[in-house]
Amino acid sequence: MAKQKKQPRPKAETPKGFRDYFGAEVETRREMLDAIAGVYHRYGFDALESSAVETVEALGKFLPDVDRPNEGVFAWQEDAEDEKPGDWLALRYDLTAPLARVYAQYKDKPLPGLDESLPTPYRRYAMGPVWRNEKPGPGRFRQFYQCDADTVGTNSMAADAEICAMLADTLEEVGIPRGDYIIRVNNRKVLNGVLEAAGLSGEGKESERGIVLRAIDKLDRLGFEGVLSLLRAGRKDESGDFTEGAGLSIEQANRILAFVGAKDNVVSSSFFTLEGHEGKTPAEWSNELGRVGVYASGGRTDEETGRAYNRHICAALRNLVDESEVGLQGVNELEQIADLLAAQGYGPDRIVIDPSVVRGLGYYTGPVYEAELTFDITDDKGRVRQFGSVAGGGRYDDLVKRFTGQAVPATGISIGVDRLLAALQMKGRMSRQVHGPVVVTVMDRDRMADYQAMVAELRNAGIRAEVYLGNPKNFGNQLKYADKRGSPVAIIQGGDEAERDVVQIKDLILGAKIAESATHDEWKAQPAQREVPRGDLVDEVRKILSASEG
């Protein structure tokens, strides 16, 4: 009988494209999500926690094929080896597709355990991990967190304005001050109108429209000259690779470039100046928009100037869409959003109409929004650049239709949690140290009940605490454990202290500071450790914790 081959041990490593999160990282993220949820709740949105697994048909974006049924998503087929295989299932790739399924399922059907169905409009927020089966890279993982808020069931532009206002409030709530962010608003209908006015609407123009969308989506990277090449004959990059262009005439291309550059044209006009920024180029002025709070324009107040600025951009867009019905509808929607925001005090210093926002225009059906952090950072190559986008969203009126056959209006926003956390850490806004638990050391194995009583008192007082449960033989190892846990305090009580009904309280935070610069005599004096009556344990620990947080 052949000897059975020994099963190799599994590798203890994280799968490619995934990572583990520990202690402080998890606490920091939870703290930020709690702050975001507080804003969403204040705006009247309800929490929704949907399944992490959906049918591939419900996700709708990556239908299975023969060669790679899980393209784009992590998917599997139930009972794949049976004569009648089951459904294809997949981990959700975002939080929007599950919302569409939930709304279609419960719009006219009682919710589980309740008598009522979902209200219309339905306002919900959701937070959690999503999974994408894509090639990982630096800072790009296959599992990441999203934080969404959506309103389903209303055509009112007030819903879009509210989403933008709520996003501004959210950024400020988590620690991004005004001047460090800007929310830019555009509208897919306006682009459709510009394409129509340029002769690119209707059947037979799908290829050209696709190239145009991809070209203007590269505006940030290629600039106007590079985009112009893609709109015309094509472009050869630095490696020599050639990308075929849309083959537009110069008149068609100029109309499209005028659309994405409408903000620069408005800013460079004599109608507007930015106080203290005279003499700058239109591009420089454009970058300053939203970062300054005072505009000078014919003696207008800030609010009047903000309204005028957005209406000036809308007037420029109205000219570009010509007589296109859908384009004019899009311009009217942008004007409504701008006016609704201005009435609430959200001007161009926070939220601005900006036709250069083109990301996602292939997916959204109306207004689109993007939140960009405007402060400078240094990248991995030592280059200074702006941090960039941390959130995006817009109106998607066709998603629920896949389930119901009827158009259901919807609009929403998605925040990239990991990017926002990275931004807060770069700005030093999430640097608060997360302390570990108070550690009650064990000096006598036979007195474990006494130590458990101490830790119970601390926990009942709301103080995070634990008893050391390792081998207590070496006391130094217990203190090393407390240091590794980031513990602020260690509690010590040997037999002598127990007889005198006292405890030793060791302030580990103060002790670490003293150790950095103290002399040997100062260190021996142990000012970070003091003896207190057993009954004062909780009060003394509270004093140390309060001092460390202050």
Side-chain angles (χ1 to χ4, degrees):
M1 181 177 179
K3 186 177 180 180
Q4 188 174 6
K5 189 176 181 181
K6 188 176 181 181
Q7 187 74 17
R9 293 175 180 171
K11 292 182 179 180
E13 60 182 18
T14 310
K16 187 177 181 181
F18 294 85
R19 60 157 298 190
D20 301 309
Y21 297 85
F22 298 92
E25 290 179 293
V26 177
E27 288 292 319
T28 300
R29 181 174 61 198
R30 181 191 56 77
E31 179 182 317
M32 189 186 78
L33 291 178
D34 286 347
I36 294 174
V39 177
Y40 289 173
H41 190 265
R42 192 162 69 238
Y43 270 73
F45 285 72
D46 288 334
L48 171 67
E49 187 173 314
S50 60
S51 170
V53 176
E54 297 280 347
T55 65
V56 171
E57 288 78 12
L59 291 178
K61 194 173 182 180
F62 303 99
L63 295 177
D65 58 48
V66 176
D67 296 328
R68 192 181 177 212
N70 60 337
E71 182 177 2
V73 296
F74 290 98
W76 64 95
Q77 189 174 27
E78 287 188 300
D79 305 320
E81 304 300 325
D82 290 358
E83 291 184 9
K84 293 183 178 180
D87 292 332
W88 277 93
L89 303 177
L91 291 172
R92 64 190 182 200
Y93 63 82
D94 69 6
L95 298 174
T96 308
L99 168 64
R101 189 266 304 161
V102 166
Y103 184 80
Q105 182 175 352
Y106 294 109
K107 179 179 180 295
D108 300 311
K109 177 182 175 182
L111 299 174
L114 300 174
D115 293 332
E116 68 269 10
S117 59
L118 289 177
T120 299
Y122 175 47
R123 301 148 67 85
R124 85 86 174 90
Y125 71 88
M127 304 175 179
V130 297
W131 296 267
R132 297 188 183 177
N133 189 5
E134 299 172 343
K135 185 178 180 180
R140 183 181 180 89
F141 297 99
R142 288 170 165 168
Q143 174 181 318
F144 52 94
Y145 262 73
Q146 285 188 335
C147 186
D148 289 17
D150 298 78
T151 299
V152 183
T154 177
N155 285 308
S156 173
M157 289 298 106
D160 299 86
E162 180 181 64
I163 290 287
C164 292
M166 186 169 67
L167 180 55
D169 288 353
T170 297
L171 293 175
E172 293 179 22
E173 181 74 16
V174 300
I176 305 294
R178 298 182 195 182
D180 273 356
Y181 75 88
I182 190 70
I183 297 168
R184 308 182 190 278
V185 184
N186 196 3
N187 196 311
R188 171 63 193 264
K189 293 177 183 178
V190 179
L191 174 59
N192 288 346
V194 171
L195 293 174
E196 183 179 331
L200 296 174
S201 62
E203 296 182 3
K205 298 291 184 179
E206 293 86 354
S207 176
E208 290 91 336
R209 289 198 297 271
I211 295 174
V212 168
L213 279 172
R214 291 190 294 273
I216 60 179
D217 198 31
K218 299 175 182 176
L219 179 64
D220 289 345
R221 183 163 58 88
L222 301 180
F224 282 95
E225 185 176 345
V227 172
L228 177 61
S229 298
L230 291 175
L231 295 178
R232 299 277 280 152
R235 178 180 180 272
K236 182 181 291 187
D237 62 21
E238 295 177 355
S239 68
D241 291 339
F242 181 79
T243 302
E244 184 178 354
L248 306 186
S249 69
I250 190 64
E251 290 80 10
Q252 290 175 308
N254 281 341
R255 184 181 289 267
I256 292 167
L257 288 177
F259 163 70
V260 295
K263 185 183 70 172
D264 283 348
N265 294 333
V266 169
V267 175
S268 62
S269 72
S270 59
F271 184 75
F272 280 91
T273 61
L274 292 171
E275 278 190 1
H277 298 269
E278 295 84 355
K280 291 190 175 181
T281 66
E284 290 171 330
W285 277 12
S286 176
N287 288 335
E288 291 296 332
L289 269 176
R291 297 199 217 173
V292 294
V294 180
Y295 294 82
S297 180
R300 293 176 174 85
T301 65
D302 289 350
E303 181 178 337
E304 291 171 338
T305 304
R307 288 174 184 262
Y309 167 76
N310 283 324
R311 285 196 169 273
H312 211 52
I313 286 185
C314 289
L317 295 177
R318 195 178 295 277
N319 290 332
L320 291 173
V321 301
D322 202 7
E323 298 298 321
S324 167
E325 183 177 344
V326 67
L328 292 172
Q329 183 182 355
V331 174
N332 291 336
E333 288 177 356
L334 288 177
E335 288 179 339
Q336 290 178 51
I337 292 171
D339 286 349
L340 288 168
L341 288 168
Q344 301 173 68
Y346 297 87
D349 60 322
R350 289 190 278 176
I351 307 171
V352 64
I353 303 298
D354 185 351
S356 69
V357 177
V358 294
R359 191 172 304 165
L361 283 182
Y363 170 75
Y364 294 108
T365 58
V368 295
Y369 355 100
E370 186 171 66
E372 179 181 329
L373 303 188
T374 56
F375 56 80
D376 291 336
I377 62 169
T378 303
D379 65 15
D380 296 337
K381 297 181 180 180
R383 298 171 299 189
V384 177
R385 62 179 181 84
Q386 287 189 353
F387 188 90
S389 175
V390 293
R395 183 164 282 275
Y396 52 97
D397 289 349
D398 294 334
L399 197 58
V400 180
K401 185 178 180 180
R402 297 178 49 254
F403 297 94
T404 63
Q406 299 175 337
V408 176
T411 188
I413 193 75
S414 180
I415 296 175
V417 173
D418 299 300
R419 277 189 61 79
L420 185 54
L421 269 176
L424 291 169
Q425 288 163 352
M426 287 180 180
K427 293 293 286 183
R429 309 270 165 74
M430 300 295 286
S431 59
R432 183 178 64 83
Q433 183 179 0
V434 179
H435 292 308
V438 171
V439 172
V440 177
T441 61
V442 176
M443 303 297 291
D444 186 346
R445 293 175 187 266
D446 296 332
R447 295 184 51 248
M448 182 60 76
D450 293 338
Y451 302 131
Q452 292 287 3
M454 292 182 197
V455 86
E457 286 182 29
L458 292 166
R459 289 169 180 166
N460 291 336
I463 298 171
R464 189 181 180 204
E466 66 174 80
V467 175
Y468 179 73
L469 297 178
N471 187 344
K473 186 175 181 180
N474 188 323
F475 181 70
N477 285 343
Q478 297 194 50
L479 294 182
K480 287 179 181 179
Y481 171 82
D483 285 337
K484 200 168 188 178
R485 295 282 280 135
S487 302
V489 177
I491 308 300
I492 306 164
Q493 189 189 61
D496 177 63
E497 285 91 359
E499 287 182 7
R500 295 186 291 115
D501 198 27
V502 297
V503 293
Q504 298 285 338
I505 297 183
K506 189 173 182 64
D507 186 336
L508 298 176
I509 299 173
L510 178 58
K513 292 179 180 178
I514 293 173
E516 291 177 359
S517 58
T519 65
H520 180 69
D521 290 338
E522 289 172 334
W523 183 83
K524 285 183 67 176
Q526 289 293 336
Q529 182 171 324
R530 58 184 178 270
E531 184 177 283
V532 302
R534 169 68 178 80
D536 294 343
L537 171 64
V538 170
D539 289 340
E540 290 298 323
V541 170
R542 274 185 174 151
K543 289 177 184 177
I544 294 174
L545 295 179
S546 297
S548 67
E549 292 173 359

